[in-house]
Amino acid sequence: MRAVVATLKIAVKHPHLQRSQIVLPAEEVVQAFVDRASRQASSRTANERLIDVAAEAPVEESQGEGFGELLPAEEGRKRVAAYATPVRLEDWAGSVAGPGKIERDFGTRRSTLHDWQKRGAVIGLLKGERKHVYPLAQFIDGRPIEGMARITKIIANPRAAWLWLTRPHPTGDKTPPLERLKQGRIAEVAAAAERDFG
């Protein structure tokens, strides 16, 4: 890697490299520089001296193990399926309830719940083919957490939005965004969602 960086430092100062080559991936810039240096070396006269550069340590050649044997597509699918484990929605989303249970427990009519979901004020997760369930952690006293609609506008996929809201952010505040919404830190959470998904 140090060789690539050193070569790039020289390459950007080299007057014969065109600017368009500098915006290429590093490998292509290095290759362009090496090609140019090779052409120059082959055109040198016998009177010109080349500089001999000694390596600081012996150069060790190695070859990785590679990707292994190539498999037929069907065998590859079988092996991937063996690694995958089915996970119930409740295992990653937490406690959820359907519209009937929410109506019984909170007194929220189905039409209201449907309207909240349509506006993005609550997240409905598809369970089965057509049935939606609602993570209960997004309700306070039977009402949606304030600011949820701002987040669902930025993160349109309900599953991605719920996962993002309920997991600690890898940088900065380790408090899950959902908890920060409950604390009224709506602008902060919206800005983080915009950075991650905008």
Side-chain angles (χ1 to χ4, degrees):
M1 189 61 169
R2 288 189 333 204
V4 171
V5 172
T7 305
L8 284 173
K9 284 181 181 178
I10 294 167
V12 295
K13 293 178 184 175
H14 202 282
H16 299 292
L17 278 177
Q18 297 177 351
R19 269 194 171 294
S20 62
Q21 290 176 311
I22 302 303
V23 297
L24 295 173
E27 296 84 12
E28 292 183 35
V29 174
V30 170
Q31 188 59 50
F33 180 73
V34 169
D35 290 347
R36 176 121 179 97
S38 297
R39 285 194 304 273
Q40 285 180 340
S42 64
S43 66
R44 284 195 173 103
T45 64
N47 294 336
E48 290 183 281
R49 288 186 52 210
L50 297 177
I51 301 171
D52 187 21
V53 179
E56 293 175 12
V59 176
E60 180 183 319
E61 288 187 30
S62 64
Q63 293 182 356
E65 295 178 18
F67 293 113
E69 63 176 307
L70 291 177
L71 301 173
E74 189 55 39
E75 177 62 22
R77 284 188 198 95
K78 284 181 188 174
R79 290 190 185 187
V80 169
Y83 285 113
T85 54
V87 177
R88 293 178 335 124
L89 184 133
E90 292 83 357
D91 292 341
W92 62 268
S95 296
V96 296
K101 182 166 176 44
I102 289 176
E103 187 171 18
R104 278 191 311 274
D105 293 354
F106 298 137
T108 305
R109 295 189 358 224
R110 290 173 187 247
S111 59
T112 303
L113 186 62
H114 179 71
D115 183 54
W116 285 345
Q117 182 182 356
K118 194 174 172 182
R119 290 186 293 122
V122 296
I123 292 176
L125 301 172
L126 197 59
K127 186 173 186 177
E129 288 186 33
R130 295 186 302 156
K131 179 183 174 190
H132 281 91
V133 292
Y134 301 87
L136 295 176
Q138 67 186 317
F139 297 99
I140 297 177
D141 299 326
R143 299 200 48 80
I145 295 172
E146 190 177 341
M148 185 68 81
R150 280 183 69 179
I151 305 310
T152 57
K153 217 175 253 183
I154 299 166
I155 311 171
N157 180 296
R159 286 177 182 261
W162 189 251
L163 281 169
W164 184 84
L165 282 163
T166 56
R167 304 298 185 265
H169 201 270
T171 59
D173 192 339
K174 299 297 183 200
T175 307
L178 185 67
E179 294 307 312
R180 288 187 270 156
L181 278 181
K182 288 179 180 180
Q183 296 166 3
R185 296 157 62 184
I186 299 167
E188 174 190 320
V189 174
E194 192 66 52
R195 276 193 310 274
D196 291 351
F197 292 89

